[in-house]
Amino acid sequence: MTGPSRPRTAGSPLRASPQVRLKVGFVFIAMVLSVFAARLVQLQGVDPDRYAEMAAAEGSVIVSLPATRGEILDRNGDPLAESIDGRMIIADPTLTSDDAPELATFLARRLDLDYVRVLERLRVEDSRFQYIARQVPTWQAEAVVAEAEEEGFVGLFMQRDPVRIYPNGDLAANLVGFLGTPRRDGSARALAGLEDAFDDYLSGVDGEARYEMGAGTQIPLGDNTVSPAVDGTDLNLTIDNGLQHFTQGVLQQTVEGSHAESGIAIIMDSRTGEILALADYPSYDASEPQEWPKSRYRSSALTDVYEPGSTEKVLTLSSVIDAGLGRPLQQYVVPPVLNRQDQPIHDHWVHGVEHLTLTGILAKSSNIGTVLAADEFAPGELRSYLTAFGFGEETGIGLRGETKGILPEGAEWTDQVDDRIAFGQSLSVNAVQMIAAVNTIANDGVRIDPSLVDGRATLDDGTEVGTEQADERRVISTRAARQTALMMERVLDPVDGAAPLAAVPGYRIAGKTGTAQRVVDGSYDGSHTASFVGFGPTDDPRFTVYVVVHDSRTGGGGTVAGPAFAKLMSHALRRYGVPPTGTRASQLPVEW
């Protein structure tokens, strides 16, 4: 049973009603908001200049936001140059200056940096942001910073910074080029090849983050802005990595096996002008360019000129046919020597009076017969044809340093020069010019610009290049081109031809040898350039191949360059599944 309630004494505390507690809470909230409002007024209205002065006094931190450089890819999307995840290592001098000598020693050793430069950056006054190293592989950067922290050093930070790599070493290094040591601001320094020619296209635009700092922290109302990076664009090539690798191997074996100075090998799609492989030997490893002479940082197929020799006869005689001045079975009496104005003209073999057809002149590579056939040209006519074939002008495939060759004009084109040019002397070409010219025969008389870039890309000078920009022009008639191709087949004949070693079993192949004297320092030095150019299958051309070997010590075009041509053509036909046409090879007579 509950007893009566005890009366509350006068001294007992009274518990506040809910209404009272609510009023107290509102008052407290109002006081807090008043404090924030007062601070806001101070920041925005009463004293904004003082905070701007704080920002100026402490300075702003500007952080680069690197763009990812575009990849350089082969025709199948496989990389020749790519960017992988990397880091920049940054120092805050307000935290590193006290231990700068010790930290500089540590970083210089771990990252192979210049000690003095690192020390200077660790001690920069009035700065909270200094680059120490750029484009460091992530694993290495993280390991170095972690080790520095374990050693008790503070003030090192990391930001994303992609690293450029060349996963295939020397594969197409002559074309791709490389990036050198970054500039002082950390930006990429393109030094050779496509990396250099398309630097702006590949680079993109770096972004930037700007933070106003004061008293070691970000100022609330400072100028804090971020401009995002715009990544570079991928550069897609016509090169086939697998075919390029095989071509480089064959070229190296050929040059070394003939104890030659250097060589070039090119494989082109006969129908499109796309370059599927372009090898120079010797070359270099793009991953370690500093280990090789600077003279190798280019493609000699574009930068070096030489006399084409007898391969040029293909162009002369196809022009004779196109101009209606000769035909494959036309008969010529070829003397043992042809006396002309300045010196007698000889053939590469000793013979008496020969009775050769125009086909025989090409098959046996007769200088004398070629001059006799070319005598029918009107003044300036041969030069007009050679210009239409692309001699005397750059191919414009997209690499710096290309030469346009030497094609005499005006008073330089004398009767004596006219004779020599007919069989490939007294003019100079680069290798890409030459294969593009002969490919005109394979392409039914239509010259198509050679292409190294698949699609379209923009050079640093604003020029657009690529397969989408390639121009075509008719140089000779379809009939003249096909008749010339049949004549070229006889060059590989085991009995009547000069280059049976260039034959590809099971396939019809059209080709031409070249063995030219080399001009060194303005005069012939006694050495030779051996070459072979051709296409196949003859009656449905798919590939055009050109092999050049400078200063071969073991033979000429048919015995040195011819076998290399056969290997490359055979491999290309098999790789792309091109079947033999099953038709009979040309049997045009070479004599009468």
Side-chain angles (χ1 to χ4, degrees):
M1 181 173 179
T2 304
S5 62
R6 182 179 299 175
R8 189 181 304 271
T9 61
S12 299
L14 295 173
R15 186 173 183 179
S17 67
Q19 291 81 4
V20 172
R21 291 200 302 271
L22 187 60
K23 290 179 180 179
V24 171
F26 281 138
V27 170
F28 177 77
I29 292 172
M31 292 173 64
V32 172
L33 291 176
S34 297
V35 171
F36 282 124
R39 180 61 172 165
L40 186 60
V41 170
Q42 180 186 28
L43 289 172
Q44 292 186 327
V46 177
D47 204 8
D49 293 337
R50 185 169 72 85
Y51 286 90
E53 290 172 0
M54 285 175 58
E58 294 290 345
S60 61
V61 171
I62 301 176
V63 180
S64 176
L65 304 177
T68 298
R69 192 174 181 86
E71 296 183 343
I72 299 178
L73 306 169
D74 87 331
R75 65 187 303 107
N76 300 311
D78 295 326
L80 287 161
E82 60 182 331
S83 297
I84 62 171
D85 193 34
R87 296 288 183 269
M88 65 177 79
I89 297 179
I90 307 157
D92 180 348
T94 65
L95 301 175
T96 61
S97 58
D98 291 344
D99 297 322
E102 295 82 3
L103 182 54
T105 299
F106 171 86
L107 293 170
R109 290 176 177 172
R110 298 297 189 279
L111 297 170
D112 193 23
L113 302 173
D114 180 81
Y115 168 81
V116 175
R117 181 171 294 180
V118 174
L119 181 62
E120 291 174 350
R121 292 183 175 181
L122 295 175
R123 285 176 163 173
V124 173
E125 297 181 356
D126 300 325
S127 173
R128 299 185 63 87
F129 187 98
Q130 288 293 312
Y131 291 115
I132 299 300
R134 293 288 307 267
Q135 299 169 15
V136 181
T138 299
W139 64 267
Q140 184 181 11
E142 291 177 347
V144 169
V145 172
E147 186 178 352
E149 292 174 351
E150 291 176 1
E151 295 287 332
F153 296 116
V154 296
L156 295 180
F157 308 94
M158 291 180 291
Q159 293 271 357
R160 175 182 173 275
D161 198 12
V163 177
R164 196 65 160 179
I165 64 168
Y166 304 93
N168 299 298
D170 68 347
L171 188 68
N174 56 319
L175 302 175
V176 174
F178 61 95
L179 300 184
T181 303
R183 299 182 179 89
R184 296 199 65 172
D185 65 357
S187 59
R189 188 193 304 270
L191 294 182
L194 297 167
E195 291 275 33
D196 180 33
F198 292 91
D199 189 29
D200 292 342
Y201 184 85
L202 291 164
S203 294
V205 180
D206 287 349
E208 180 181 277
R210 180 188 298 268
Y211 306 106
E212 298 291 350
M213 305 294 292
T217 60
Q218 182 178 335
I219 296 176
L221 296 179
D223 181 14
N224 303 319
T225 58
V226 175
S227 299
V230 178
D231 290 341
T233 306
D234 291 343
L235 183 64
N236 298 289
L237 304 184
T238 59
I239 293 293
D240 176 336
N241 278 4
L243 196 56
Q244 176 75 22
H245 180 268
F246 184 83
T247 302
Q248 289 183 198
V250 170
L251 181 62
Q252 180 177 350
Q253 292 171 2
T254 302
V255 172
E256 293 179 349
S258 62
H259 307 290
E261 177 184 297
S262 61
I264 300 164
I266 308 173
I267 301 178
M268 175 181 283
D269 186 315
S270 303
R271 301 168 182 173
T272 66
E274 296 174 12
I275 295 176
L276 305 177
L278 194 163
D280 294 280
Y281 185 80
S283 188
Y284 69 101
D285 187 333
S287 298
E288 298 179 320
Q290 71 280 359
E291 302 295 326
W292 308 94
K294 292 182 179 179
S295 59
R296 298 189 184 183
Y297 298 169
R298 57 182 173 79
S299 175
S300 61
L302 289 163
T303 62
D304 294 1
V305 296
Y306 54 91
E307 293 190 348
S310 293
T311 53
E312 199 274 339
K313 291 171 183 172
V314 170
L315 310 181
T316 298
L317 298 185
S318 66
S319 301
V320 167
I321 295 173
D322 181 72
L325 304 175
R327 60 188 188 281
L329 299 183
Q330 186 140 342
Q331 300 172 348
Y332 296 84
V333 177
V334 180
V337 61
L338 184 63
N339 291 304
R340 288 296 172 118
Q341 296 88 346
D342 57 344
Q343 61 182 14
I345 296 173
H346 298 275
D347 280 326
H348 66 88
W349 80 101
V350 177
H351 61 79
V353 175
E354 295 271 357
H355 293 80
L356 300 178
T357 63
L358 192 64
T359 299
I361 288 172
L362 187 64
K364 294 181 177 294
S365 197
S366 171
N367 295 337
I368 296 172
T370 302
V371 171
L372 293 175
D375 279 345
E376 300 300 316
F377 282 124
E381 192 172 10
L382 176 57
R383 190 181 192 282
S384 295
Y385 271 110
L386 295 180
T387 299
F389 276 115
F391 286 2
E393 63 182 28
E394 295 180 10
T395 64
I397 65 172
L399 286 170
R400 299 186 194 274
E402 180 181 359
T403 176
K404 64 181 182 179
I406 300 172
L407 184 63
E409 60 182 333
E412 296 176 341
W413 192 291
T414 63
D415 290 341
Q416 297 94 322
V417 169
D418 186 77
D419 287 344
R420 291 193 290 269
I421 284 178
F423 56 84
Q425 290 186 355
S426 295
L427 80 166
S428 295
V429 299
N430 70 47
V432 178
Q433 283 178 324
M434 192 65 204
I435 192 173
V438 175
N439 190 63
T440 303
I441 310 297
N443 197 40
D444 280 345
V446 176
R447 183 189 181 278
I448 183 169
D449 288 341
S451 297
L452 185 59
V453 172
D454 188 11
R456 177 184 303 180
T458 305
L459 292 161
D460 281 3
D461 65 4
T463 303
E464 289 189 331
V465 299
T467 54
E468 294 181 6
Q469 300 295 108
D471 290 330
E472 298 183 8
R473 64 171 176 261
R474 178 162 292 284
V475 180
I476 60 175
S477 68
T478 299
R479 180 171 178 272
R482 293 181 178 178
Q483 288 183 338
T484 302
L486 295 176
M487 291 165 56
M488 292 171 67
E489 272 194 311
R490 301 294 279 148
V491 172
L492 286 76
D493 186 86
V495 176
D496 296 320
L501 295 179
V504 178
Y507 288 87
R508 293 181 60 181
I509 303 296
K512 183 67 189 77
T513 58
T515 303
Q517 299 179 70
R518 295 180 72 210
V519 176
V520 179
D521 297 328
S523 61
Y524 294 113
D525 71 346
S527 63
H528 294 82
T529 293
S531 62
F532 193 92
V533 64
F535 50 85
T538 304
D539 50 343
D540 188 13
R542 186 69 178 81
F543 301 109
T544 302
V545 177
Y546 186 32
V547 178
V548 182
V549 181
H550 293 303
D551 196 15
S552 166
R553 307 298 175 86
T554 61
T559 56
V560 173
F565 166 91
K567 292 178 184 177
L568 297 175
M569 178 63 78
S570 176
H571 184 79
L573 291 168
R574 291 198 311 271
R575 180 175 176 84
Y576 282 81
V578 180
T581 56
T583 56
R584 187 171 180 232
S586 168
Q587 297 296 313
L588 288 171
V590 299
E591 297 177 338
W592 57 279

